[in-house]
Amino acid sequence: MGKKIKKETESPPKDVFDPLLIESKAPETVVLMLSSPENEVLAKACDALYKFASKDDENKLTLLRLGALEHLYKLLSHEDPIVRRNAVMVFGIMASNYDVKKLLRELDVTNSLIPQLVPEEDVVIHEFATLCLAHMAVEYTTKVKIFEQGGLEPLIRLLGSPDPDVQKNSVECLYLLVQDFQNRAAVRELNVIPPLLGLLESEYPVIQLLALQTLEVISKDRETRIILGQNKGLDFLLNILENSELSDLHIETLAVLGNCLEDVHTLQLIQLTGGLKKLLSFLEVSTVPGIQKNAAKAITRAAYDAEIRKILHWEEVEKFLLNLLETNYDEVKVAASQAISAMCENIDSKSVLGLQGIPQLVQLLSSGNEEVKEAAVTALSNLTTASPRNASVVAEAEGIEPLMNTLNAQRDGAVANAIAVLSNLSLQEPSRVAIRSLGIMRALAGPLHSTNSQVQSKAAFAVAAFGCDADARTELRNAGGLGPLIKLLHSENEEVRRNACWAVMICASDELTALELCSLGALDILEEINLSTKHKNKFSEAALEKLLDNNLPQKYSRMGYLSSSNIITNGFYDCGQVKHGKKFLSLEELSKQELTDRRAIIFINAK
């Protein structure tokens, strides 16, 4: 900020009279001269201070300490144009310093500078007043002041100034101001789009860049995108992309176009004029990682809209995304995987991406980069959800083992989505057997201990999906997975609690697992859940019933009756009704108790 872009203003403008050398080199003396009644002395003092402050930050702080700014502030409204101009120049150069800016805010200097932006004012005043405002607009309270003091309109007008330094400072100031939503709406009303588009044709790259950065911020608003389309702004942007000499501006240009992709109306306009095809053709040949990454991110944002997904599919955006998975840059692979996830919501895209993209995504699971791994497995999760065909492709691409390895990833998102893919694959018997053979239940014991609700939910769901096999339940029991599963019944997260109830219901299918679940307190927790209208769900009721049906002594003790479907076998015992909250003792624990005069315990042993 503050660097000049034209040579003719490198030195301060010459006055109409011969310059008088200020003999004193001491800044203290020059500051005292700011109180002189003579205009010529004032102008020369300001000129000397400008040169002194231009040298370094230390000199700016010296002038601050000497109280120069308070004197100069009074000169901003001086009747003599040369004195006023030179004073504004000092403020422009001084405002780059943080401590100076603090005092300028206290002096409310913006209120004195904004009126100086009128068309009839000296171009040098325009240059340094806008420079000072650009330095100060970094701070939020100054943004508000410039807005309230009517600074937006003159700044927009000065975008059309014949002076490139004025253009640059004005657009830089506007770029900082539009970071605030209120100012974005205001500049739109003041018709900022045409002059900004005009700056794209500037011969100075820094001005073009600032204009694009400003357009990128304001085009986040739908109303601005519509105005951009009406002013043929999309053509301007596509022309920049087609010009290889402007390659330095391509990333920022794409950022603006990326915002336009998020709007159906604007996207249809680009498509009808052939611009979308042109844009994708440009992207397909580009090898610049920044461009590839930003393009994929723009597609991700745009693809949240069903209509936009349809248009992108028609234009075969999938081909571009699949090519990006082949790059050598991790950030590009991440962005491409995320875009694939978003495009999966379109059923036709899901089919295309699944068939061609799954083998590449499976390879990315072995990446040393955790972010790549997470993005790839998330894409696989989206691709295989409700798609048996894509689930088969994962198995055919030898994805099961890498997915099992991903259960040990460092990122919770990667673990949760790896579990989700394995659960999706479990619906097909060959894949289910293969996953079981690699010890899925043992591997799930770790994620069940996670503190992340997404991991907890997916892990409990997977226990339910794979727990239908008796061997799987034994494996989970031996791996110590039942304890953390029961703890999930206490979760405040509804999905976690529901999936945990489901998993308990599945695991309670055999007597040994049911007994252990009961000994770990599952029955009491489920009864408590079922008493709460807020926490109760169909799985909590079914889980309680299943647990009791596979632990008949405890069912009889609690309920006082058995169902017609309950078959008593060897090992059944009746120890009488146990009060709520009291521990139900096993046969072994009862046998160790001393004899009492209470009713006998009935034990069935037909052997």
Side-chain angles (χ1 to χ4, degrees):
M1 192 187 281
K3 287 184 181 173
K4 288 181 173 290
I5 53 175
K6 63 181 196 299
K7 289 177 185 170
E8 54 266 38
T9 58
E10 283 298 338
S11 54
K14 297 196 176 207
D15 298 323
V16 289
F17 45 81
D18 291 329
L20 297 169
L21 290 172
I22 294 175
E23 289 176 15
S24 169
K25 290 183 180 178
E28 295 89 343
T29 309
V30 183
V31 170
L32 288 173
M33 291 166 67
L34 293 175
S35 302
S36 169
E38 295 181 35
N39 291 352
E40 191 174 343
V41 173
L42 290 173
K44 285 299 160 194
C46 289
D47 187 24
L49 292 176
Y50 169 81
K51 288 174 182 171
F52 181 73
S54 298
K55 286 179 182 172
D56 56 37
D57 244 25
E58 193 51 50
N59 285 2
K60 293 182 180 72
L61 290 171
T62 299
L63 296 182
L64 179 67
R65 283 194 296 271
L66 291 170
L69 288 167
E70 288 85 347
H71 290 292
L72 287 162
Y73 177 67
K74 292 171 189 170
L75 300 181
L76 288 178
S77 52
H78 199 280
E79 58 185 17
D80 186 273
I82 295 169
V83 172
R84 195 167 69 252
R85 181 198 67 193
N86 289 4
V88 171
M89 286 174 65
V90 184
F91 274 105
I93 209 75
M94 289 274 286
S96 63
N97 180 276
Y98 175 78
D99 294 309
V100 169
K101 267 188 282 214
K102 273 169 66 178
L103 178 59
L104 294 185
R105 281 198 297 276
E106 288 169 26
L107 291 171
D108 194 18
V109 77
T110 53
N111 211 14
S112 299
L113 290 174
I114 289 167
Q116 317 245 15
L117 302 180
V118 290
E120 57 271 19
E121 195 54 271
D122 189 317
V123 72
V124 178
I125 284 184
H126 285 169
E127 178 187 339
F128 285 93
T130 52
L131 178 62
C132 185
L133 289 172
H135 281 306
M136 292 187 68
V138 174
E139 213 264 337
Y140 176 73
T141 54
T142 307
K143 286 182 173 68
V144 174
K145 273 190 178 178
I146 293 173
F147 170 78
E148 290 173 346
Q149 292 164 0
L152 294 178
E153 192 171 1
L155 284 167
I156 290 170
R157 189 178 60 248
L158 288 176
L159 295 179
S161 167
D163 185 285
D165 278 319
V166 175
Q167 288 179 348
K168 182 225 169 230
N169 295 339
S170 301
V171 71
E172 186 165 9
C173 189
L174 284 166
Y175 167 69
L176 293 165
L177 291 170
V178 297
Q179 305 299 321
D180 177 56
F181 180 79
Q182 184 184 24
N183 286 328
R184 284 213 291 273
V187 297
R188 181 175 65 243
E189 295 301 317
L190 292 167
N191 203 22
V192 74
I193 296 290
L196 279 176
L197 292 174
L199 293 184
L200 296 183
E201 296 180 315
S202 168
E203 62 182 289
Y204 299 100
V206 66
I207 291 176
Q208 292 174 306
L209 188 66
L210 284 164
L212 282 168
Q213 288 172 335
T214 308
L215 282 168
E216 194 264 326
V217 176
I218 63 174
S219 63
K220 288 173 181 170
D221 301 338
R222 185 175 185 273
E223 294 87 346
T224 304
R225 293 196 287 264
I226 292 167
I227 298 168
L228 197 56
Q230 290 168 345
N231 283 273
K232 303 213 181 306
L234 304 171
D235 295 336
F236 270 97
L237 297 166
L238 288 166
N239 289 340
I240 291 174
L241 286 186
E242 288 180 317
N243 189 341
S244 57
E245 290 179 13
L246 297 176
S247 59
D248 288 354
L249 303 174
H250 285 174
I251 289 177
E252 284 74 18
T253 304
L254 269 173
V256 184
L257 284 167
N259 288 339
C260 295
L261 293 184
E262 293 180 48
D263 183 67
V264 178
H265 172 80
T266 315
L267 185 60
Q268 285 170 337
L269 189 65
I270 303 173
Q271 189 189 23
L272 286 170
T273 56
L276 189 52
K277 208 169 274 300
K278 206 184 282 185
L279 174 61
L280 288 171
S281 299
F282 165 78
L283 293 174
E284 279 167 14
V285 296
S286 174
T287 54
V288 180
I291 287 175
Q292 293 173 325
K293 179 184 75 175
N294 289 350
K297 283 186 170 181
I299 290 165
T300 303
R301 291 196 306 272
Y304 281 107
D305 184 282
E307 239 356 86
I308 290 175
R309 286 196 296 271
K310 223 180 276 182
I311 294 170
L312 292 173
H313 172 64
W314 288 335
E315 296 292 343
E316 299 180 325
V317 76
E318 297 90 355
K319 196 164 46 171
F320 165 63
L321 295 175
L322 292 169
N323 285 341
L324 292 189
L325 294 178
E326 301 283 354
T327 65
N328 294 322
Y329 300 97
D330 285 344
E331 67 270 26
V332 177
K333 290 174 187 171
V334 169
S337 299
Q338 289 167 342
I340 286 170
S341 284
M343 284 300 295
C344 277
E345 292 294 317
N346 178 286
I347 195 157
D348 296 320
S349 288
K350 193 172 192 170
S351 178
V352 172
L353 291 165
L355 202 59
Q356 298 170 42
I358 284 173
Q360 291 169 273
L361 290 165
V362 165
Q363 285 183 342
L364 296 183
L365 296 181
S366 303
S367 167
N369 183 307
E370 290 292 318
E371 201 179 346
V372 171
K373 206 181 287 184
E374 181 180 21
V377 78
T378 305
L380 286 171
S381 174
N382 288 305
L383 283 165
T384 55
T385 299
S387 176
R389 182 169 164 273
N390 283 349
S392 298
V393 178
V394 172
E396 287 161 16
E398 299 181 352
I400 291 173
E401 200 167 333
L403 283 165
M404 289 291 292
N405 293 336
T406 309
L407 296 181
N408 299 314
Q410 291 168 21
R411 287 174 167 244
D412 287 333
V415 176
N417 283 293
I419 298 170
V421 183
L422 290 165
S423 297
N424 291 338
L425 265 62
S426 74
L427 298 171
Q428 297 173 344
E429 192 58 30
S431 296
R432 181 188 184 79
V433 171
I435 296 166
R436 275 278 301 106
S437 70
L438 292 171
I440 179 65
M441 293 305 241
R442 192 169 57 251
L444 286 172
L448 286 171
H449 280 96
S450 172
T451 54
N452 179 284
S453 59
Q454 192 191 13
V455 176
Q456 292 172 342
S457 175
K458 301 291 184 192
F461 183 92
V463 168
F466 289 98
C468 298
D469 304 327
D471 290 347
R473 295 193 292 271
T474 304
E475 187 180 307
L476 183 69
R477 202 169 64 239
N478 294 340
L482 295 180
L485 176 63
I486 287 168
K487 282 182 183 171
L488 298 185
L489 295 173
H490 288 295
S491 174
E492 286 301 312
N493 182 296
E494 191 181 341
E495 189 182 301
V496 173
R497 199 169 55 249
R498 188 182 64 242
N499 287 350
C501 288
W502 186 15
V504 168
M505 182 193 83
I506 296 294
C507 288
S509 297
D510 68 73
E511 197 176 327
L512 276 175
T513 312
L515 283 169
E516 185 160 343
L517 286 166
C518 289
S519 71
L520 290 165
L523 270 177
D524 292 331
I525 300 167
L526 287 167
E527 280 188 336
E528 193 182 320
I529 289 171
N530 290 332
L531 288 170
S532 164
T533 50
K534 184 185 171 188
H535 289 163
K536 184 171 71 171
N537 58 70
K538 61 181 181 180
F539 291 119
S540 66
E541 293 172 321
L544 181 63
E545 195 178 323
K546 184 67 77 74
L547 271 177
L548 290 172
D549 282 344
N550 281 297
N551 187 357
L552 293 181
Q554 193 152 359
K555 179 175 183 178
Y556 191 65
S557 173
R558 278 185 180 240
M559 316 287 286
Y561 66 87
L562 295 177
S563 310
S564 58
S565 58
N566 297 146
I567 310 298
I568 291 175
T569 57
N570 283 329
F572 177 84
Y573 60 99
D574 170 18
C575 60
Q577 197 160 7
V578 176
K579 288 180 183 175
H580 185 71
K582 290 271 186 174
K583 188 186 176 192
F584 179 81
L585 300 176
S586 68
L587 200 59
E588 190 181 349
E589 287 169 322
L590 289 167
S591 68
K592 290 177 181 174
Q593 289 187 341
E594 290 181 15
L595 288 172
T596 65
D597 57 354
R598 290 183 185 177
R599 77 186 270 292
I601 293 162
I602 299 166
F603 171 57
I604 297 197
N605 183 9
K607 287 181 183 177

